[in-house]
Amino acid sequence: MAGFNHKLVVVLCGALLAVTGLAAMAETRQAQCIDCHVESVDPSIKRLARTVHGNLPGDDNASCISCHGASEAHMQEPVKISPDVSFGPNWPSGPELRSASCLGCHEERSQVLWTGSAHQQENLACDTCHSAHEPKDLALDTREAEQLCLSCHPRVRAEMNLPSRHPISEGKTACSDCHNPHGGLGESGLHQLTVNDNCLSCHQEKRGPFLWEHPPATEDCALCHRPHGSVHDRLLTARGPALCQQCHAAAFHPSLPYGSEGLPGGAPNQNLLGKNCLNCHSQVHGSNHPSGARLTR
Ligand code: HEC
Ligand code: HEC
Ligand code: HEC
Ligand code: HEC
Ligand code: HEC
Ligand code: HEC
Ligand code: HEC
Ligand code: HEC
Ligand code: HEC
Ligand code: HEC
């Protein structure tokens, strides 16, 4: 019994049924549905039999009514009245109702934060991404899912094709490595609470504590990096000295126009024109060197 969508069934059938009667009831209903929705007329029914839902053990089996509701009225007047929960194509129910039918069995695991997530608030429903009747649920295929995401997120598509990028198109990272499409506790539906926790889950060598911290790196990697892609090397938000000068405009040694005049030591240094601050301050993420206070080693 555990798998049945009790709430929905009970609401829809009324409190008439004793719990013990449900399984039998469900089976009869399922049979009734299939009486009309014969496989020959409706090939998606046949495909359903090859899905996870069509093959759950025993009483957990997802019958027609566990997703579509008991649909008494529909059975009386099938051409006029929709089933209690329809995912379309003719009379689709609203997104809340459609998702509620899935959530009856999927309130846990990665779906636990669905309510309140950006996607829920934007009126997406479970079936926007998942196809319950199809043996191959495209959302569970990383590459197919990515295309699905990008169809609604064109800006990300543009970003991930920039010269410097996380290797998403290359198949080394996927949207779902970083995002939970069902919603997260922190910002941007990330699996982790903060952007830094997200980055550090893969780039552990950037995790401190360092003897000499660089405050922005401890605070938010996104102060200097874009997560999807950038026109600047290393996913940086800005190029060369400009990046550093957003915060260090008044650095004690004048750095514009990257001449050597004001630098400690003062010797002309061609490198300054090109590679900038990092020539000397190479440890921008923090330093463990005893004399790395200036992040130079
Ligand atoms: C008496 C025959 C009959 C029975 C019994 C029946 N249906 Fe239908 N159903 C139909 C017909 C006819 C349509 C409309 C088909 C069309 O227009 O493509 C339909 C349409 C649907 C649709 C599509 C809704 C939409 O928005 O496009 C769903 C879902 C559905 N039925 C589910 C069920 C379920 C679940 C049951 C069992 C609880 C059931 N039906 C029982 C005849 C029936
Ligand atoms: C796990 C939930 C689930 C179960 C179980 C389920 N359906 Fe569906 N049904 C859906 C969803 C979601 C759609 C929308 C199409 C899709 O996502 O694949 C749908 C679409 C339909 C449609 C209309 C579109 C089409 O492809 O023809 C009919 C008719 C239908 N279901 C009937 C049934 C019948 C009859 C059963 C039982 C044999 C059943 N469904 C079991 C979730 C379910
Ligand atoms: C009657 C309970 C029930 C209902 C209703 C139900 N599911 Fe499931 N679903 C399960 C169970 C049980 C599994 C298999 C174990 C698991 O992965 O949780 C499953 C598995 C899945 C999976 C993973 C499939 C795979 O191949 O690994 C997806 C995705 C899914 N369900 C989506 C949905 C969507 C979308 C709906 C609503 C249209 C829905 N479910 C309705 C019980 C249900
Ligand atoms: C924006 C697209 C999208 C929406 C909307 C969506 N999902 Fe998913 N879902 C995915 C993707 C992508 C995966 C695969 C995630 C992964 O590989 O980590 C997935 C995985 C799953 C799984 C299997 C893995 C797991 O964590 O259990 C289930 C079950 C599931 N979704 C159910 C649902 C339910 C229920 C809803 C509605 C409340 C829903 N999904 C809404 C995209 C979506
Ligand atoms: C049907 C369209 C649609 C699909 C498909 C879709 N999204 Fe979204 N998504 C939206 C909308 C609309 C918003 C809210 C506006 C925005 O932030 O762009 C959103 C917001 C987001 C956010 C921001 C969340 C937040 O809390 O601020 C992330 C991250 C996201 N989507 C990732 C994904 C991923 C990953 C996928 C694929 C598994 C996906 N989306 C598929 C429409 C979609
Ligand atoms: C390496 C981790 C990572 C990967 C992979 C990734 N993202 Fe993101 N994404 C992030 C982070 C981090 C943010 C939040 C940035 C911020 O708040 O400054 C974000 C923000 C977003 C947002 C909301 C803000 C915006 O930029 O519109 C959307 C939508 C989004 N991502 C979609 C996607 C999609 C779609 C994919 C796959 C094509 C994807 N992301 C892959 C880490 C990632
Ligand atoms: C799911 C794992 C994962 C997460 C999370 C992740 N990255 Fe990466 N990152 C990678 C991989 C894989 C590469 C490519 C490494 C390679 O090809 O050697 C990479 C490369 C990079 C690069 C170098 C890019 C270049 O042009 O060489 C930067 C910078 C970077 N990541 C920053 C970040 C930041 C900032 C975050 C958090 C927003 C983050 N990463 C989150 C996996 C991840
Ligand atoms: C103050 C700006 C700044 C902040 C904040 C910052 N980075 Fe960087 N990061 C850089 C610069 C500049 C480079 C390029 C270094 C080079 O080319 O030698 C870089 C390069 C990288 C690289 C690729 C090269 C390498 O060293 O492996 C990764 C990965 C990376 N950063 C991850 C992170 C992570 C994770 C965070 C947050 C914990 C972070 N960065 C915070 C400026 C920053
Ligand atoms: C988002 C703002 C921000 C950015 C961008 C930034 N920094 Fe910093 N940096 C700080 C802060 C805050 C401190 C700590 C200042 C203090 O303690 O007085 C600091 C400290 C330093 C120090 C050590 C100074 C000292 O007094 O010990 C050096 C060196 C440094 N940054 C170099 C860089 C370089 C090189 C870049 C460019 C790759 C950069 N910073 C980008 C905010 C930033
Ligand atoms: C030629 C090497 C060199 C270059 C290039 C360089 N610095 Fe420095 N910087 C140093 C040295 C050495 C110190 C430490 C001086 C000291 O401790 O007396 C220093 C100190 C600093 C400090 C600490 C100042 C303070 O008030 O304590 C900051 C911040 C800083 N640099 C930022 C930058 C920025 C931003 C750039 C690029 C625009 C840059 N530096 C380029 C060598 C360099």
Side-chain angles (χ1 to χ4, degrees):
M1 284 310 306
F4 276 111
N5 187 337
H6 288 167
K7 271 186 247 158
L8 200 68
V9 172
V10 170
V11 170
L12 297 171
C13 301
L16 294 171
L17 299 166
V19 174
T20 45
L22 275 173
M25 180 73 185
E27 251 163 50
T28 334
R29 279 283 151 65
Q30 166 119 325
Q32 281 177 301
C33 307
I34 300 171
D35 275 351
C36 292
H37 292 280
V38 285
E39 290 174 8
S40 53
V41 177
D42 203 338
S44 82
I45 307 298
K46 191 169 184 175
R47 293 198 296 275
L48 180 75
R50 291 191 281 125
T51 66
V52 171
H53 292 113
N55 290 286
L56 298 176
D59 286 345
D60 280 342
N61 216 348
S63 67
C64 315
I65 66 168
S66 60
C67 291
H68 291 284
S71 308
E72 305 270 7
H74 169 67
M75 289 201 283
Q76 300 305 319
E77 290 196 75
V79 185
K80 280 203 192 125
I81 302 177
S82 131
D84 296 341
V85 182
S86 165
F87 303 85
N90 296 328
W91 313 282
S93 313
E96 293 305 324
L97 189 56
R98 274 146 58 210
S99 293
S101 117
C102 310
L103 287 168
C105 296
H106 289 290
E107 261 169 339
E108 287 166 1
R109 294 202 308 211
S110 72
Q111 295 83 46
V112 89
L113 296 167
W114 171 256
T115 304
S117 70
H119 285 154
Q120 183 259 337
Q121 290 183 344
E122 293 289 339
N123 284 334
L124 271 69
C126 313
D127 59 298
T128 310
C129 298
H130 295 287
S131 17
H133 283 250
E134 303 306 321
K136 194 168 185 294
D137 184 333
L138 296 185
L140 301 179
D141 177 305
T142 308
R143 296 321 290 261
E144 301 282 1
E146 180 185 308
Q147 290 312 314
L148 184 69
C149 311
L150 294 173
S151 69
C152 291
H153 293 292
R155 202 162 59 86
V156 178
R157 185 194 292 278
E159 287 169 346
M160 61 183 254
N161 286 321
L162 292 172
S164 170
R165 60 200 184 213
H166 263 122
I168 302 172
S169 341
E170 291 79 355
K172 288 192 200 161
T173 43
C175 315
S176 56
D177 287 340
C178 296
H179 296 288
N180 180 347
H182 312 111
L185 273 177
E187 13 180 352
S188 299
L190 294 170
H191 289 294
Q192 297 80 5
L193 263 178
T194 65
V195 170
N196 274 36
D197 287 344
N198 168 257
C199 309
L200 293 170
S201 70
C202 292
H203 298 288
Q204 285 155 15
E205 76 288 355
K206 301 284 186 285
R207 187 191 293 277
F210 293 104
L211 190 53
W212 308 103
E213 305 271 2
H214 191 198
T218 342
E219 195 189 319
D220 186 357
C221 311
L223 287 167
C224 297
H225 294 286
R226 295 204 187 290
H228 305 123
S230 170
V231 287
H232 308 298
D233 277 356
R234 306 293 192 192
L235 297 168
L236 290 169
T237 51
R239 213 176 119 252
L243 174 71
C244 313
Q245 285 167 332
Q246 289 166 8
C247 301
H248 295 292
F252 90 119
H253 51 72
S255 40
L256 272 172
Y258 323 126
S260 56
E261 305 80 45
L263 285 172
N269 184 340
Q270 266 302 316
N271 282 340
L272 287 185
L273 299 167
K275 219 196 157 191
N276 75 59
C277 320
L278 294 174
N279 279 353
C280 303
H281 303 288
S282 58
Q283 305 303 306
V284 279
H285 303 102
S287 166
N288 276 324
H289 193 282
S291 44
R294 305 302 189 201
L295 310 176
T296 49
R297 56 185 89 191

